[in-house]
Amino acid sequence: MTRSERRNQPAIGYRSQGFMGVSMSGRILNLLLWAGVAYFCCMAVAHFFGIKVPILFVYYDTPYYAYQDKIISFAVVAYICLFASAARSGEVLFALVAIWVTVLGLCAVNVSDALQTVLSGKSTLPYWLQTAAIAAYALCLTIFARQPRSLSAH
């Protein structure tokens, strides 16, 4: 593959060098990835300290054990590293897989009998709205990852 052909490849699996020569869609993708890093940092802090606020804590009003949230906060560090690595390298495929699996997992929890038991008849709408927000973020990442990340040499 020639250099000009590589420039027009989608961001999935394409490494870019800084912002020089990066398309607007490439810059937006990079911004989205760094926004994900910031979001996951906030989520990790919220879980570590038990700060139960919606969007940082999807299931913010359900019973929990503090040790579980500490474990979640450490696991979220993997997302932080994954999204930071994707932002730095342009290799976004694994970040996309992770975020879409997360969306599917949240959907599965939202329809589960276990959640219904804990909620005692309360609505799952707040959880679905948060799941939809994360899915919208995942969709934006996917759309911008499919766009050419570098400017053409024309």
Side-chain angles (χ1 to χ4, degrees), residues 3-5 7-8 21 150-154:
R3 189 176 195 167
S4 65
E5 288 171 329
R7 268 191 272 247
N8 291 318
S150 295
L151 297 173
S152 176
H154 295 85

Side-chain angles (χ1 to χ4, degrees), residues 93-144:
L93 178 61
F94 296 115
L96 290 174
V97 169
I99 198 72
W100 281 114
V101 168
T102 299
V103 169
L104 292 174
L106 291 172
C107 290
V109 170
N110 290 347
V111 299
S112 71
D113 291 335
L115 181 61
Q116 290 303 320
T117 301
V118 171
L119 293 178
S120 305
K122 289 184 348 190
S123 173
T124 58
L125 181 62
Y127 315 128
W128 281 111
L129 292 174
Q130 293 176 86
T131 301
I134 294 168
Y137 171 70
L139 182 60
C140 289
L141 284 174
T142 302
I143 289 168
F144 284 103

Side-chain angles (χ1 to χ4, degrees), residues 18-103:
F19 274 132
M20 197 60 140
V22 176
S23 69
M24 182 57 74
S25 63
R27 291 180 186 196
I28 292 170
L29 176 62
N30 199 268
L31 179 65
L32 286 168
L33 290 165
W34 285 113
V37 170
Y39 168 69
F40 291 124
C41 285
C42 292
M43 180 186 283
V45 168
H47 276 272
F48 188 83
F49 291 108
I51 304 166
K52 295 188 92 173
V53 294
I55 210 64
L56 296 179
F57 236 102
V58 176
Y59 303 98
Y60 62 94
D61 61 349
T62 60
Y64 74 104
Y65 295 101
Y67 78 90
Q68 293 170 322
D69 288 318
K70 298 267 192 282
I71 293 168
I72 291 169
S73 72
F74 302 138
V76 170
V77 172
Y79 278 84
I80 295 166
C81 294
L82 183 61
F83 277 65
S85 176
R88 290 177 53 86
S89 72
E91 300 283 343
V92 299
L93 178 61
F94 296 115
L96 290 174
V97 169
I99 198 72
W100 281 114
V101 168
T102 299
V103 169

